[in-house]
Amino acid sequence: MIQDIVQGIIVANECLSGVFYRNYIQSWKEATSNQITVEGKAYDTDEWMNAPSSILSSISRRLHLQPDHPITITRKLIESRFPAPTYQKHNTLFPIVSVGQNFDSLGFPADHVGRSRNDTYYINKSTVLRTHTSAHQADTFRAKTSEGFLISADVYRRDAIDRSHYPIFHQMEGARTWSRSAVPEGTTLARQVWDDLKTIPKHDLVVEDPNPSFHPDRNPLQSDHHSPEEAEAIATHLKRSLEDVVVTIFSAVRAAAAAAGGSSASTSEPLKVRWVEAYFPFTSPSWELEVFWQNDWLEVLGCGVVRQRLLDSAGVPDRVGWAFGIGLERIAMLLFEIPDIRLFWSRDPRFLDQFRERVDGKITRFKEFSKYPPAPRDVAFWLPRSTPAARTPDSTNEPHSAPNPAGGLAPESASNAPSSSTTTNSPSASVSSTSDPPPAPASSSTATTTYPPFHENDLTELVRAIAGDLAESVTLIDAFAHPKTGRQSRCYRIVYRRLERTLTSEEVAGLHERIGRELVARWGVELR
Ligand code: PHE
């Protein structure tokens, strides 16, 4: 707890002793009450609370606003393709939002996997850390201050640990709408959209777009609201705007590679992109854009024609338009050749001082300042027989958002909605879950303990709570059921690595043992 408080304070960079004391008292009060305060805003917590203090204290970092930070440079590069006044920028929206904003306003069904406490950080039953920038779509449409907007922000998801996943990342949301009532006499909405398209620069990108703009089953037109011509025009405007972004980004990547003396296939071959049909509850038709990069198709964004019911309930029923969401880390990792997502959070000047925003828009690639060895350790255990709904090895292997950098909350993912059961499904009941790691289930006797079901993201969170950014990856390497008893076994490989120096084997052993102990205490597993 003390360690936790101190860490929170250090992270917030509040080193004046008065502030230190006030924060200490504040945190102390919070640990004993059902309230938390984040940047002066107070929230009541309840049994849904599962946001650890390490996450809450990172809210203040706002990497997308740090001068010369690679996330900021990436944001600005994309923003440069969406000029004011058509596109208004919103970069300081607060990350704690209502379930209504994050899910309901966008039409997410009540049992959508994205709503589960396994995937989303809750403050209380109706308040979450936003899981995507789309949480602000409805409000921004409602404000009616511009025809289009860009929202860049930090977003939060309980997720896997590896080199490209971190529980906090950054997204940019973009939208553009047209008003039906403002269409001048003698023209049509579709015509007007086509006219606007002329202002988007032409490109020579190789684009694969094999599917029709809409398809009755796979990617339906909102036929009650849009004529085929209108949807076609909006879809084309959307795709061309985003192809322009990709050209800008990858031209910068190639220029940086060429400047660094690289002549690999990725810099000499023509750039290829493709549009893939997708599904989001708040757009139809919808697509993802993939870029052929280093011999693989890489998803870079999700987008679509905004559902009219969203615009209607946001008080702008006469508007039609498109929206997209793009993950900034993935783009920044490509742009700067940053090999590990944890580096964005580094305060090491050897990292930060490498990046400068340049007026000519040129990118300098990241130079590895050190390479310290990884320390892999395995943890193998039997799940308790009583574990009611532990995921199968297959589903355990698939964090829902892994395939989508823009953060798609795939509707087809196995449903894992929060259960109404109070004891077995509330590993972090009460506000004390803000201390790291979350508390073990309360019980006086082992014989009668009911353990909550074990989910992979619980292990992920435990590892982060104990090892912090020293954990590079957590991978399921083996899962089987005992042929006779049916008992489930799991083996995870945890890779520890410090980016600034070599970890000693004692340090690693200490962390790893603690993780094992907590697994036993929290989920009743038996270490093997
Ligand atoms: N919010 C979506 C995600 O995180 C991306 C998206 C934004 C899709 C806007 C369509 C329109 O995956």
Side-chain angles (χ1 to χ4, degrees), residues 138-205:
D139 293 339
T140 315
F141 285 132
R142 191 174 293 111
K144 300 185 201 170
T145 50
S146 58
E147 292 180 300
F149 57 78
L150 295 176
I151 299 168
S152 299
D154 38 335
V155 301
Y156 300 75
R157 292 188 194 172
R158 295 186 87 213
D159 211 337
I161 296 187
D162 60 37
R163 281 160 168 261
S164 58
H165 289 88
Y166 198 82
I168 315 176
F169 59 103
H170 296 78
Q171 283 188 331
M172 184 190 289
E173 192 87 0
R176 169 78 158 101
T177 60
W178 289 265
S179 163
R180 284 190 186 283
S181 44
V183 175
E185 198 66 36
T187 185
T188 63
L189 183 87
R191 201 58 264 153
Q192 207 193 345
V193 176
W194 283 110
D195 279 349
D196 282 337
L197 220 144
K198 292 184 193 138
T199 60
I200 305 170
K202 294 221 160 34
H203 62 69
D204 55 4
L205 193 64

Side-chain angles (χ1 to χ4, degrees), residues 24 26 31 97 205 213 225 317 381:
Y24 181 88
Q26 179 74 50
V97 301
L205 193 64
S213 288
H225 306 286
F381 51 87

Side-chain angles (χ1 to χ4, degrees), residues 218-230:
R218 300 192 315 256
N219 215 4
L221 165 76
Q222 299 174 55
S223 49
D224 288 352
H225 306 286
H226 306 144
S227 69
E229 294 73 30
E230 288 167 355

Side-chain angles (χ1 to χ4, degrees), residues 131-134 137 157 171 173-174 280 282-283 302-304 323-326 404 406-409:
T131 62
H132 54 173
T133 41
S134 303
Q137 263 195 32
R157 292 188 194 172
Q171 283 188 331
E173 192 87 0
F280 299 100
F282 42 97
T283 52
C303 64
F324 71 82
I326 187 165
N404 192 342
L409 299 167

Side-chain angles (χ1 to χ4, degrees), residues 59-137:
I59 288 177
S60 61
R61 294 287 298 274
R62 296 186 170 79
L63 299 184
H64 66 293
L65 300 178
Q66 296 313 310
D68 295 325
H69 194 282
I71 297 291
T72 300
I73 299 176
T74 306
R75 165 178 66 81
K76 292 194 171 176
L77 186 64
I78 304 175
E79 283 176 349
S80 71
R81 312 312 298 169
F82 297 98
T86 306
Y87 296 92
Q88 197 174 66
K89 293 163 193 68
H90 305 271
N91 292 335
T92 56
L93 297 173
F94 199 62
I96 301 182
V97 301
S98 67
V99 166
Q101 290 170 298
N102 200 81
F103 296 118
D104 304 339
S105 72
L106 296 156
F108 279 83
D111 62 351
H112 194 280
V113 61
R115 295 183 185 247
S116 98
R117 287 173 71 233
N118 190 48
D119 293 17
T120 295
Y121 290 112
Y122 280 82
I123 303 293
N124 58 45
K125 192 177 188 320
S126 55
T127 314
V128 296
L129 286 171
R130 69 181 155 223
T131 62
H132 54 173
T133 41
S134 303
H136 301 289
Q137 263 195 32

Side-chain angles (χ1 to χ4, degrees), residues 26 84 173 275 299 306 364 406 412 423 430 444 471 484 521:
Q26 179 74 50
E173 192 87 0
W275 288 103
E299 279 172 38
V306 181
T364 335
E412 64 275 16
T423 47
S430 100
S444 49
K484 290 216 181 84

